[in-house]
Amino acid sequence: MNKYPLLEIDRDVIRRNAGILLDECRKRGVEPFAVLKGFNALPGIVDTIVKAGYRTLASSRLPHLAAVKEARLPVDTLGLRIPMLSEVCEVVRVCDISLNSELETLRALDAAASGAGVIHKVILMRDLGDLREGIFESERFVKTACYVERELKNLCLYGVGTNLTCYGSVIPTVKNLSELAANAADIERLIGRKLAVNRNALFSDAVGVHSAALIPWHTGAAYYMGLAAAVYPLYHFTIGDLYYNFMGIICVASIYVLTFTGWDRFIPLFGLPEEPAVRLKKVEERAYRVEEEMLSSPN
């Protein structure tokens, strides 16, 4: 007997919508990762996403990725949160790929991968102002990438990436993502090969750059929410190829109304976020010196 309230999930709709977005990405040379956190990695939906054609499943929660491994699904797993030193063995066990920005952690992952007899893929993160994760300086970023490639034998430098529109609310722009692209080109030139994940960014970053060229910056979030809701629908409705995209209709309609009427200027407190003036300078300088010493000493 059913108990209420009851949430019914139409997996056919999710599979169809996820497949449409996947096809649209691949037409443009983009290979998206499917993130499990939004639906708590429910097994039925995970299976549906895999059947839609996604090759990599990602989550910031290691138990989600452990469940994927236990289910023996034909996909790679990606850890979206930079690892703690205390969990490097678990990361190597349940993640095929992880995001990283600290040399000490990279060395620990290399040791754990060596002990497990595997090659672990890493995406090196660059901080472009959001203050969430990554290496700040371009030179040190490139130098660390070369160190991983040449010195850490059980790690594979899989690619480079960044995280925006998160902790510091720094929006993606052509300028800041072009800086990451330039770093990637320098790394590829120095290591003599192409990176598998080149200029990786969050879906919201890519959408932000696209939408910023079309609409005012502060409506980019609504634009992104509309696309996200296309896969995980909230209400029975049909628009275009995607089914039940009720939130998308609201978001797109609000964009048109706010933009063409000029009413967006009446919405208060729309200002670009600024980086905090207070910095832990001594801590930053000490951490920087430690990493410089590690980079200059392979052992």
Side-chain angles (χ1 to χ4, degrees), residues 1-8:
M1 181 177 180
N2 291 332
K3 294 183 179 181
Y4 293 89
L6 176 68
L7 175 65
E8 293 185 352

Side-chain angles (χ1 to χ4, degrees), residues 32-89:
F33 303 149
V35 179
L36 309 181
K37 182 179 176 180
F39 52 89
N40 202 31
L42 290 173
I45 302 181
V46 172
D47 289 340
T48 300
I49 294 295
V50 173
K51 289 176 182 176
Y54 287 81
R55 298 169 184 160
T56 304
L57 302 183
S59 181
S60 59
R61 298 174 180 174
L62 294 183
H64 290 170
L65 303 178
V68 173
K69 286 294 185 183
E70 290 169 6
R72 299 184 181 276
L73 297 174
V75 293
D76 285 338
T77 52
L78 168 66
L80 283 178
R81 174 177 53 78
I82 55 176
M84 295 184 289
L85 284 172
S86 61
E87 62 184 6
V88 291
C89 292

Side-chain angles (χ1 to χ4, degrees), residues 11 38 55 86 134 160 181 184 243 274 277 289:
R11 290 187 289 181
R55 298 169 184 160
S86 61
V160 297
Y243 285 174
E274 296 181 359
R289 285 197 302 269

Side-chain angles (χ1 to χ4, degrees), residues 212-224:
L214 304 175
I215 54 180
W217 74 268
H218 55 267
T219 55
Y223 182 70
Y224 167 62

